[in-house]
Each structure stands twice: as structure tokens, then as C-alpha cells.
Amino acid sequence: MSNDTQVMLGHGSGGSMMKRIIDEVFLNAYGSTEFDRGDDAAVLPGTEKDQRLAFSSDSFVVTPHFFPGGDIGRLAVCGTVNDVATTGAIPKYLSCAMILEEGFPMEDLKRVCQSMAEAAKEAGVQIVTGDTKVVNRGHGDGIYINTSGVGIVREGLDLSGANCKPGDKVLVSGTLGDHGITIMSCREGLNFKTDIQSDAAPLNHLIASVIEAAPNTRCFRDPTRGGIASTLNELAAQSDVDITIEEQAVPVKDAVLGACEMLGYDVFQVANEGKMVCVVPPEEADSALAAMRNDRYGKDAAIIGEVIEAKNADSGCKVYLKTAFGSTRILDMLVGEQLPRIC
Amino acid sequence: MSNDTQVMLGHGSGGSMMKRIIDEVFLNAYGSTEFDRGDDAAVLPGTEKDQRLAFSSDSFVVTPHFFPGGDIGRLAVCGTVNDVATTGAIPKYLSCAMILEEGFPMEDLKRVCQSMAEAAKEAGVQIVTGDTKVVNRGHGDGIYINTSGVGIVREGLDLSGANCKPGDKVLVSGTLGDHGITIMSCREGLNFKTDIQSDAAPLNHLIASVIEAAPNTRCFRDPTRGGIASTLNELAAQSDVDITIEEQAVPVKDAVLGACEMLGYDVFQVANEGKMVCVVPPEEADSALAAMRNDRYGKDAAIIGEVIEAKNADSGCKVYLKTAFGSTRILDMLVGEQLPRIC
């Protein structure tokens, strides 16, 4: 057991501190078989034979509420749509529960709701139920939004982070770090004189195309908090494998890379809100890549690495990064907090 | 349109200000047929013929976090279980998304989670997915919890607040006001030297018994924020009817009544977290009452009134209270805020 006596910002980071609070507190108290699987959404039996539901929930506490490329409302819809879609489900229904702070401008609330409506329309989901709580001034930050989502899992599909096998290829649907760097630059008032903007987007249509093109896809996972480094480490641990990534193959915008270098961030640990990692068997990698590139949100998709046998499973599964200089370094899960409240 | 330019505490009250923000902001932006129905949970088609899902979401921001009879965790499980159950569904799965404030004691978090586990076990639901966000000190209040719930609607049932017909009987499953008065007395440090405690409880088993005993039940609704006055006004408006309530028939604990008189609260507007209002056809009222009284949470159940034709629908549907003195007064929906953050 850890010696954490208080909640710290790092417990919400998407990294290893968050894993600790989940394991030691939440799973310990109310874990269920589905909760334990560690995927981004639960897959649940419906009433009918072979019918399965996908169910996921996320709260959004990003600050600022509005940023280039999106706002907290677009993020709240896309985040949950994407989590539901990672299971291979067709997202159908969303709930929207607001925690508003006394004094929040009604005009901002309307703008956020409009943005949610547009994102829901784009994703093809309906917002069907909701809740509104108002907290006293000084006990919130304008607006926090929870969305939960329900989808219907495609028959016969069984995607999970635990399915990766040595030889499988790892794909990513586009450039890394756009969302995290956008939020950071807004918050710090930095101006990179470039057009960096958040990638917040619903990826359920992209996922549908990949499933059609690559029917043996192992899993999808969206590299949000903790970045792709955390996502790949989660997949390696779930599947008991190692993963190697070719740095040169990973799509990153120059401006994002520049910002990361300037600020000392590892782009592999920076959050994305409109990117999907996908693991497929080697013979389906090219079809999956073509399907991604054919989607409006997948133009920069790339095959970035592969799954290998765990070299030393006793000391934990690892993610290796082969750098442009030919060296190899271990890509670690984010530990504490890099950039709080990016979603 | 109202002239609200900022969010106010009353917008989260469960009363008519909340109805306004829902209608003018949320429904206006992303209303769907299901959202528009105005029930506590959405009823949705599954993939199979005749299969329907119930889906509901609630955030919990109660302060204090621990109080006689429960805590924010028990409330979070029971509230959503009850909302799902009101549709006539069997609640099956819950999500749990936490917004924690930096510095929240880990021991308190564990206690809350333990309480959620116990309430979930009692209700027979599984917590299957979750999310953890941490906000900076001064931007929360220790812990906010969102739970969303999915249930399977019993075949052939079609419960809705829009189903009430003149002649129907109105039942309540027990004493009113226990939760609201408990929270208020904790918060103000009042000591009524009585054993008032929150009624927070999962009522899905009670609902199941009533449905079995009274198969033509029109609807269930839990009178939480805004109290039974708001619930009855909602039902009257949804069904286009008036409702009359006999004050003498309404179960209220002496201590709660005393506290309300002392503090100037209308017990009909005080929140409950373990009570159910139920409308049934007259010929099934006795069976429904017997079923409620047979449940551990329904010992004080009573038939408290009936549905009548709307006297003047043009000026709005009304709820009438026949007082102990033989007079009649209109029971209004709560307008602004009586007691903020009671759930």
C-alpha cells in the first residue's frame, strides 16, 4: 500500500498515481469483474443472448473552458463517445450532468451546450438524460461536466487491451500532443505564433471504418491523460507483452515538438483528445492504416511500432522507444502530474 | 425567455428555476425526444425487439459528506438506483466518476467508497466503470460524485409521469422531510435532541414489489430536491391533471414537523432520499400500499391523495392540499433555493 493520506493533483493525471488510487481505493471497495478489466468502457451483457452493452463515464474539468479547436462541451461529448467506441460498440446515448458554480455566465453555458449539441450530431449520438447541480461560489470552477455513454457492441467483436500478441502492429490515427500543448499555451498565455489547436473530435466513425477494414483488430484506446506513453504501458501490462515504438514513425507537428522541447515536456506523455491508438495483426495493418487515412480525423495516421514478447515479464512489461539516433530508451508511464486539468 | 444572466444556486434546486434552465438552455441546445419527456431516467430501445434500456445520471455535491443515516457515497448509489427503478427497470450497472479536490483525506475517500460498495450490494447493482479527476485546492469541496445507471425495463411496462388519470390514487412510501432536515441540522450545528436521520435508501426492491402487486401502476417518482410538492407538480403538468392531497394522511415525523415549523420550512418542499411517490389506479391502491408496507423501507407508507380533472388547465395544472383544518391551499413547486446542496 502507498502512504498517500491526501488526494493530490497527480491522482487525476492518467499516470501511475491514478492507477494507484484506482487499485487501492476504488477497486478495493467496489471492484467488479468488468471494472477490473481496465478498459476505458465496460462491456456488459444485455438481456438478449449475444447482446452486449458498452458503458463509460467521464467528468470534464478542463480550464480554460474555451480554447482553439474546442471547448469543455465538445470535449465532454467526444471523450465519452470515444471511450464507448473503443470497445467496438456503436455509441448511441449520452447523459449530461452539469456541476455549475454560482455566478457562471449563462451565455457561456449556452455556448457550451451548443457545442455539445454539434458534437453529438457529428457523432450520431443522442443526449437523452441529464442533471444539474449548482455549488456555491468558490467551490467549483465555473462548470464541470460529466457525460456517460451507452453503446451497443457489434456482434462477434471482442476488443480489449488484453488481446495484444507479439507481431501485432501499433497504429496511431494522427499527430500527438496537439490538445495538451494547446491547453498549456492558453493557460500560460504563451503564443507560439502557430496554428496549434486542440484535436478534440469524435472518432467513432474512424473506428467503424478500421473494424470493417481490419476485422481482427485487437483493441483501440484513446491516448488522453498521460499521453500515448501511458496508453502503451497500459496495453503492455494488460496483455503481458512488451511494445517497441519507432520514434521516427510517430507523427508530431513541428510546432508541438518545438513547444515540448522548450518546456521540457515529453510529447509521448502529452494528452490527446482526438487520437486513437489501435493494435492489429500484422496482415491487417495496411488495411487498417488505409481506413484511418480515409477518415477526416485520420489523415496523418501511421504505423508506429509493434508488439513483442515480454523480455522480462517478472520486472514488468515495458515500452521501448527506438530513437532517431538508433538508441533505445524505456517509455515510462507518467508518474505524477504533468499538466493538471487538461480534460 | 427569462433574464437570467448568471447561474444561481436556485438553478440547482429541483424547483421552477431549475425547470427554467433545463427548458431554456439544455433542451434548447440538445433536447431529444427522451430528454423532453421529463422523467427521471430515459427509456431507450435496445437492439432486440421489445428490449428497452433505462439510463439515468446524477451528480452529488452534498455537504457535509457524512451525516446521520448516510454519506455522499450512499446517496450517490441510492439516488441513481432509484431514478433508474422509477421507469420500471431493474437497475443493473452503475458508473462512478469522482471529482476530488486536492487535499481531500484518503481515509474519507475510502469510507465513501466502502459505503458505495455496501449500498450497491444492497441494491443488487454492479459498479462497472469509473473516472477520477482531481481539481486544485479551492476549486471543489472535497468530493463530488457522479453516478450514472443502466437498467433493463421490464417487458410490457410503460411507466411515465404522463400516465396519471383522474381517479388514480397517490401513495408515498414513508415519512417526508427526513433527509433535508438532517442535512440542515448537521450544517447549522442544530441539535434537535431527536433521532432524525437521513432516509437515503435503495428503493428498487420496494418498487419491484409494488409493480407485482399493482401491475397497472402509472408511475413512480422520488421526491428529492424540491420535495414532494415539486414532484406532484411535475406529475400534474406531465399528465395535464390536478392532484389533491390530504394533509392529515401524509406521514411526517413529529421531530421533522417541529424543525420545519421552527425554521419556516414547508415540509412538502423538503428533500427526501429514500422515499417514493407512486400513482396507481384506484382498484390497485390497497395492494400497492400493502406491498410498500411489507418492504423494510415502506413501513410508514400511506395513500395521501388522488388525481382529479384539471379545473382550469389554461392557467396551469395545480396541486391542492386539504389541510387538517378543512381549508384548501395550493401546493406550489419550490421556486428558488430552500436548502442548497442537499444531495
Side-chain angles (χ1 to χ4, degrees), chain B residues 214-259:
Chain B
N216 293 298
T217 296
R218 311 299 191 201
C219 65
F220 297 95
R221 183 77 49 99
D222 55 337
T224 55
R225 283 178 290 172
I228 198 170
S230 293
T231 296
L232 294 172
N233 274 286
E234 281 170 26
L235 297 180
Q238 277 186 274
S239 291
D240 225 358
V241 294
D242 287 353
I243 294 175
T244 57
I245 299 296
E246 301 283 342
E247 188 171 28
Q248 281 184 294
V250 177
V252 183
K253 290 197 173 89
D254 287 343
V256 169
L257 204 58

Short mmCIF file of all heavy atoms in Angstrom, two decimals, chain B residues 214-259:
data_model
loop_
_atom_site.label_atom_id
_atom_site.label_comp_id
_atom_site.label_asym_id
_atom_site.label_seq_id
_atom_site.Cartn_x
_atom_site.Cartn_y
_atom_site.Cartn_z
N ALA B 214 -49.41 -4.31 -8.04
CA ALA B 214 -50.28 -3.36 -8.74
C ALA B 214 -49.78 -3.20 -10.17
O ALA B 214 -49.12 -2.21 -10.52
CB ALA B 214 -50.26 -2.01 -8.01
N PRO B 215 -50.09 -4.18 -11.01
CA PRO B 215 -49.49 -4.22 -12.35
C PRO B 215 -49.86 -3.03 -13.25
O PRO B 215 -49.20 -2.80 -14.24
CB PRO B 215 -49.99 -5.54 -12.94
CG PRO B 215 -51.13 -5.98 -12.07
CD PRO B 215 -50.92 -5.37 -10.73
N ASN B 216 -50.91 -2.29 -12.87
CA ASN B 216 -51.27 -1.13 -13.69
C ASN B 216 -50.77 0.20 -13.11
O ASN B 216 -51.30 1.27 -13.44
CB ASN B 216 -52.78 -1.08 -13.90
CG ASN B 216 -53.24 -2.25 -14.76
OD1 ASN B 216 -52.84 -2.37 -15.91
ND2 ASN B 216 -54.02 -3.15 -14.18
N THR B 217 -49.78 0.11 -12.25
CA THR B 217 -49.14 1.31 -11.70
C THR B 217 -48.84 2.30 -12.83
O THR B 217 -48.35 1.92 -13.88
CB THR B 217 -47.83 0.92 -10.98
OG1 THR B 217 -48.17 0.09 -9.87
CG2 THR B 217 -47.07 2.15 -10.49
N ARG B 218 -49.19 3.58 -12.58
CA ARG B 218 -48.96 4.61 -13.62
C ARG B 218 -47.51 5.07 -13.64
O ARG B 218 -46.92 5.25 -14.69
CB ARG B 218 -49.85 5.83 -13.37
CG ARG B 218 -51.30 5.55 -13.11
CD ARG B 218 -51.98 4.85 -14.27
NE ARG B 218 -53.43 4.85 -14.06
CZ ARG B 218 -54.27 4.01 -14.64
NH1 ARG B 218 -53.82 3.09 -15.48
NH2 ARG B 218 -55.55 4.08 -14.38
N CYS B 219 -46.98 5.38 -12.45
CA CYS B 219 -45.61 5.91 -12.40
C CYS B 219 -45.07 5.91 -10.98
O CYS B 219 -45.83 5.85 -10.01
CB CYS B 219 -45.57 7.34 -12.94
SG CYS B 219 -46.50 8.51 -11.94
N PHE B 220 -43.75 5.97 -10.89
CA PHE B 220 -43.04 6.23 -9.65
C PHE B 220 -42.22 7.49 -9.84
O PHE B 220 -41.79 7.80 -10.95
CB PHE B 220 -42.07 5.09 -9.32
CG PHE B 220 -42.73 3.76 -9.08
CD1 PHE B 220 -42.86 2.84 -10.11
CD2 PHE B 220 -43.21 3.44 -7.82
CE1 PHE B 220 -43.47 1.61 -9.89
CE2 PHE B 220 -43.81 2.21 -7.59
CZ PHE B 220 -43.95 1.30 -8.63
N ARG B 221 -41.96 8.20 -8.77
CA ARG B 221 -41.06 9.36 -8.84
C ARG B 221 -40.51 9.57 -7.43
O ARG B 221 -41.28 9.52 -6.46
CB ARG B 221 -41.84 10.61 -9.29
CG ARG B 221 -41.03 11.89 -9.48
CD ARG B 221 -40.21 11.97 -10.76
NE ARG B 221 -40.87 11.65 -12.01
CZ ARG B 221 -41.37 12.55 -12.87
NH1 ARG B 221 -41.26 13.84 -12.62
NH2 ARG B 221 -41.94 12.16 -13.99
N ASP B 222 -39.21 9.78 -7.31
CA ASP B 222 -38.67 10.00 -5.96
C ASP B 222 -38.60 11.49 -5.66
O ASP B 222 -38.00 12.26 -6.42
CB ASP B 222 -37.35 9.28 -5.72
CG ASP B 222 -36.27 9.60 -6.74
OD1 ASP B 222 -36.61 10.02 -7.86
OD2 ASP B 222 -35.09 9.44 -6.41
N PRO B 223 -39.21 11.91 -4.56
CA PRO B 223 -39.32 13.34 -4.25
C PRO B 223 -38.05 13.85 -3.57
O PRO B 223 -38.03 14.06 -2.37
CB PRO B 223 -40.53 13.40 -3.31
CG PRO B 223 -40.58 12.05 -2.66
CD PRO B 223 -39.95 11.07 -3.61
N THR B 224 -37.01 14.08 -4.37
CA THR B 224 -35.73 14.53 -3.83
C THR B 224 -35.73 16.06 -3.76
O THR B 224 -36.55 16.63 -3.06
CB THR B 224 -34.57 13.96 -4.68
OG1 THR B 224 -34.77 14.33 -6.04
CG2 THR B 224 -34.53 12.44 -4.58
N ARG B 225 -34.79 16.72 -4.46
CA ARG B 225 -34.76 18.19 -4.42
C ARG B 225 -36.12 18.79 -4.76
O ARG B 225 -36.74 18.37 -5.71
CB ARG B 225 -33.74 18.73 -5.43
CG ARG B 225 -32.32 18.61 -5.00
CD ARG B 225 -31.41 19.12 -6.10
NE ARG B 225 -31.42 18.21 -7.26
CZ ARG B 225 -30.84 18.49 -8.41
NH1 ARG B 225 -30.25 19.66 -8.60
NH2 ARG B 225 -30.85 17.60 -9.40
N GLY B 226 -36.57 19.77 -3.98
CA GLY B 226 -37.87 20.36 -4.24
C GLY B 226 -38.98 19.64 -3.51
O GLY B 226 -40.12 20.13 -3.46
N GLY B 227 -38.69 18.48 -2.94
CA GLY B 227 -39.65 17.75 -2.12
C GLY B 227 -40.84 17.25 -2.91
O GLY B 227 -40.90 17.31 -4.14
N ILE B 228 -41.82 16.74 -2.15
CA ILE B 228 -42.99 16.12 -2.79
C ILE B 228 -43.82 17.18 -3.52
O ILE B 228 -44.51 16.87 -4.50
CB ILE B 228 -43.81 15.33 -1.75
CG1 ILE B 228 -44.74 14.34 -2.44
CG2 ILE B 228 -44.57 16.27 -0.82
CD1 ILE B 228 -45.40 13.36 -1.48
N ALA B 229 -43.75 18.44 -3.10
CA ALA B 229 -44.51 19.50 -3.77
C ALA B 229 -44.05 19.61 -5.23
O ALA B 229 -44.87 19.69 -6.15
CB ALA B 229 -44.33 20.83 -3.05
N SER B 230 -42.74 19.60 -5.44
CA SER B 230 -42.23 19.70 -6.81
C SER B 230 -42.58 18.44 -7.60
O SER B 230 -42.99 18.52 -8.76
CB SER B 230 -40.72 19.94 -6.80
OG SER B 230 -40.44 21.21 -6.25
N THR B 231 -42.42 17.27 -6.99
CA THR B 231 -42.74 16.02 -7.67
C THR B 231 -44.19 16.00 -8.14
O THR B 231 -44.48 15.67 -9.29
CB THR B 231 -42.51 14.83 -6.71
OG1 THR B 231 -41.12 14.78 -6.40
CG2 THR B 231 -42.94 13.52 -7.33
N LEU B 232 -45.11 16.36 -7.25
CA LEU B 232 -46.54 16.30 -7.60
C LEU B 232 -46.87 17.33 -8.69
O LEU B 232 -47.66 17.05 -9.60
CB LEU B 232 -47.40 16.51 -6.36
CG LEU B 232 -47.30 15.39 -5.30
CD1 LEU B 232 -48.05 15.80 -4.03
CD2 LEU B 232 -47.82 14.05 -5.83
N ASN B 233 -46.27 18.51 -8.60
CA ASN B 233 -46.49 19.50 -9.66
C ASN B 233 -45.96 19.02 -11.01
O ASN B 233 -46.57 19.26 -12.05
CB ASN B 233 -45.88 20.85 -9.28
CG ASN B 233 -46.82 21.69 -8.43
OD1 ASN B 233 -47.80 22.25 -8.94
ND2 ASN B 233 -46.57 21.75 -7.13
N GLU B 234 -44.82 18.33 -10.99
CA GLU B 234 -44.28 17.78 -12.24
C GLU B 234 -45.25 16.76 -12.84
O GLU B 234 -45.53 16.77 -14.03
CB GLU B 234 -42.95 17.07 -11.98
CG GLU B 234 -41.74 17.99 -11.84
CD GLU B 234 -40.50 17.21 -11.33
OE1 GLU B 234 -40.42 15.99 -11.55
OE2 GLU B 234 -39.65 17.85 -10.71
N LEU B 235 -45.75 15.86 -11.98
CA LEU B 235 -46.66 14.82 -12.47
C LEU B 235 -47.95 15.45 -13.02
O LEU B 235 -48.45 15.05 -14.08
CB LEU B 235 -47.01 13.83 -11.35
CG LEU B 235 -45.83 13.03 -10.78
CD1 LEU B 235 -46.31 12.08 -9.69
CD2 LEU B 235 -45.11 12.25 -11.87
N ALA B 236 -48.48 16.45 -12.30
CA ALA B 236 -49.71 17.12 -12.74
C ALA B 236 -49.50 17.74 -14.12
O ALA B 236 -50.32 17.58 -15.03
CB ALA B 236 -50.14 18.17 -11.72
N ALA B 237 -48.36 18.42 -14.29
CA ALA B 237 -48.09 19.07 -15.58
C ALA B 237 -47.87 18.05 -16.69
O ALA B 237 -48.38 18.21 -17.80
CB ALA B 237 -46.86 19.98 -15.45
N GLN B 238 -47.14 16.98 -16.38
CA GLN B 238 -46.89 15.96 -17.41
C GLN B 238 -48.18 15.29 -17.87
O GLN B 238 -48.33 14.95 -19.03
CB GLN B 238 -45.92 14.89 -16.88
CG GLN B 238 -44.45 15.25 -16.97
CD GLN B 238 -43.57 14.07 -16.55
OE1 GLN B 238 -43.30 13.88 -15.36
NE2 GLN B 238 -43.14 13.27 -17.51
N SER B 239 -49.12 15.10 -16.91
CA SER B 239 -50.35 14.35 -17.23
C SER B 239 -51.54 15.26 -17.53
O SER B 239 -52.63 14.77 -17.83
CB SER B 239 -50.74 13.43 -16.06
OG SER B 239 -49.82 12.39 -15.92
N ASP B 240 -51.34 16.58 -17.37
CA ASP B 240 -52.43 17.52 -17.63
C ASP B 240 -53.62 17.28 -16.70
O ASP B 240 -54.77 17.21 -17.13
CB ASP B 240 -52.88 17.37 -19.09
CG ASP B 240 -53.06 18.72 -19.75
OD1 ASP B 240 -52.88 19.74 -19.08
OD2 ASP B 240 -53.41 18.74 -20.96
N VAL B 241 -53.33 17.13 -15.42
CA VAL B 241 -54.37 16.87 -14.41
C VAL B 241 -54.08 17.73 -13.18
O VAL B 241 -53.01 18.33 -13.08
CB VAL B 241 -54.36 15.39 -13.96
CG1 VAL B 241 -54.76 14.47 -15.11
CG2 VAL B 241 -52.97 14.99 -13.41
N ASP B 242 -55.05 17.79 -12.26
CA ASP B 242 -54.79 18.35 -10.93
C ASP B 242 -54.62 17.18 -9.96
O ASP B 242 -54.98 16.04 -10.28
CB ASP B 242 -55.96 19.23 -10.46
CG ASP B 242 -56.02 20.57 -11.20
OD1 ASP B 242 -55.07 20.87 -11.97
OD2 ASP B 242 -57.01 21.30 -11.02
N ILE B 243 -54.06 17.48 -8.80
CA ILE B 243 -53.89 16.45 -7.77
C ILE B 243 -54.33 17.05 -6.45
O ILE B 243 -54.01 18.22 -6.17
CB ILE B 243 -52.41 15.98 -7.69
CG1 ILE B 243 -52.01 15.26 -8.99
CG2 ILE B 243 -52.19 15.07 -6.49
CD1 ILE B 243 -50.53 14.86 -9.06
N THR B 244 -55.08 16.30 -5.64
CA THR B 244 -55.40 16.78 -4.28
C THR B 244 -54.74 15.86 -3.26
O THR B 244 -54.75 14.64 -3.41
CB THR B 244 -56.92 16.78 -3.99
OG1 THR B 244 -57.42 15.46 -4.17
CG2 THR B 244 -57.65 17.74 -4.90
N ILE B 245 -54.20 16.49 -2.24
CA ILE B 245 -53.51 15.75 -1.17
C ILE B 245 -54.21 16.06 0.15
O ILE B 245 -54.57 17.22 0.41
CB ILE B 245 -52.03 16.20 -1.11
CG1 ILE B 245 -51.30 15.90 -2.42
CG2 ILE B 245 -51.30 15.57 0.09
CD1 ILE B 245 -51.19 14.43 -2.79
N GLU B 246 -54.40 15.03 0.97
CA GLU B 246 -54.98 15.20 2.31
C GLU B 246 -53.84 15.36 3.31
O GLU B 246 -53.12 14.40 3.58
CB GLU B 246 -55.79 13.95 2.70
CG GLU B 246 -56.93 13.60 1.77
CD GLU B 246 -58.15 14.49 1.96
OE1 GLU B 246 -58.24 15.15 3.04
OE2 GLU B 246 -58.99 14.56 1.04
N GLU B 247 -53.70 16.54 3.85
CA GLU B 247 -52.57 16.80 4.74
C GLU B 247 -52.48 15.77 5.87
O GLU B 247 -51.40 15.30 6.22
CB GLU B 247 -52.67 18.22 5.33
CG GLU B 247 -51.42 18.62 6.11
CD GLU B 247 -51.43 20.09 6.51
OE1 GLU B 247 -52.52 20.67 6.66
OE2 GLU B 247 -50.32 20.66 6.64
N GLN B 248 -53.66 15.44 6.44
CA GLN B 248 -53.65 14.52 7.58
C GLN B 248 -53.16 13.12 7.23
O GLN B 248 -52.74 12.37 8.11
CB GLN B 248 -55.07 14.41 8.16
CG GLN B 248 -55.42 15.60 9.03
CD GLN B 248 -56.79 15.44 9.67
OE1 GLN B 248 -57.80 15.43 8.97
NE2 GLN B 248 -56.80 15.28 10.99
N ALA B 249 -53.23 12.78 5.96
CA ALA B 249 -52.82 11.43 5.56
C ALA B 249 -51.31 11.33 5.32
O ALA B 249 -50.77 10.23 5.20
CB ALA B 249 -53.56 11.02 4.29
N VAL B 250 -50.66 12.48 5.24
CA VAL B 250 -49.24 12.49 4.86
C VAL B 250 -48.35 12.17 6.07
O VAL B 250 -48.39 12.87 7.07
CB VAL B 250 -48.84 13.87 4.29
CG1 VAL B 250 -47.35 13.91 3.95
CG2 VAL B 250 -49.68 14.19 3.06
N PRO B 251 -47.56 11.11 5.99
CA PRO B 251 -46.72 10.74 7.13
C PRO B 251 -45.52 11.68 7.28
O PRO B 251 -44.76 11.87 6.35
CB PRO B 251 -46.26 9.31 6.80
CG PRO B 251 -46.43 9.16 5.32
CD PRO B 251 -47.45 10.15 4.87
N VAL B 252 -45.42 12.29 8.46
CA VAL B 252 -44.27 13.16 8.77
C VAL B 252 -43.92 12.89 10.24
O VAL B 252 -44.81 12.84 11.09
CB VAL B 252 -44.62 14.66 8.62
CG1 VAL B 252 -43.37 15.52 8.88
CG2 VAL B 252 -45.18 14.97 7.24
N LYS B 253 -42.64 12.73 10.53
CA LYS B 253 -42.21 12.53 11.92
C LYS B 253 -42.43 13.82 12.71
O LYS B 253 -42.20 14.92 12.20
CB LYS B 253 -40.73 12.15 11.98
CG LYS B 253 -40.43 10.77 11.44
CD LYS B 253 -39.03 10.31 11.89
CE LYS B 253 -38.79 8.86 11.49
NZ LYS B 253 -38.19 8.73 10.15
N ASP B 254 -42.84 13.71 13.97
CA ASP B 254 -43.08 14.89 14.80
C ASP B 254 -41.84 15.79 14.86
O ASP B 254 -41.94 17.01 14.75
CB ASP B 254 -43.45 14.47 16.24
CG ASP B 254 -44.87 13.90 16.27
OD1 ASP B 254 -45.63 14.13 15.30
OD2 ASP B 254 -45.20 13.21 17.25
N ALA B 255 -40.69 15.16 14.99
CA ALA B 255 -39.47 15.96 15.13
C ALA B 255 -39.19 16.76 13.85
O ALA B 255 -38.72 17.90 13.90
CB ALA B 255 -38.28 15.05 15.44
N VAL B 256 -39.48 16.15 12.71
CA VAL B 256 -39.26 16.83 11.44
C VAL B 256 -40.24 17.99 11.29
O VAL B 256 -39.88 19.10 10.89
CB VAL B 256 -39.38 15.84 10.25
CG1 VAL B 256 -39.42 16.58 8.92
CG2 VAL B 256 -38.24 14.83 10.29
N LEU B 257 -41.49 17.72 11.67
CA LEU B 257 -42.51 18.76 11.60
C LEU B 257 -42.13 19.93 12.52
O LEU B 257 -42.22 21.11 12.13
CB LEU B 257 -43.86 18.18 12.03
CG LEU B 257 -45.10 18.89 11.50
CD1 LEU B 257 -45.10 18.93 9.98
CD2 LEU B 257 -46.36 18.20 12.01
N GLY B 258 -41.67 19.58 13.71
CA GLY B 258 -41.25 20.61 14.67
C GLY B 258 -40.12 21.46 14.10
O GLY B 258 -40.14 22.69 14.16
N ALA B 259 -39.13 20.80 13.51
CA ALA B 259 -37.99 21.52 12.93
C ALA B 259 -38.46 22.43 11.80
O ALA B 259 -38.02 23.58 11.69
CB ALA B 259 -36.94 20.53 12.43
#
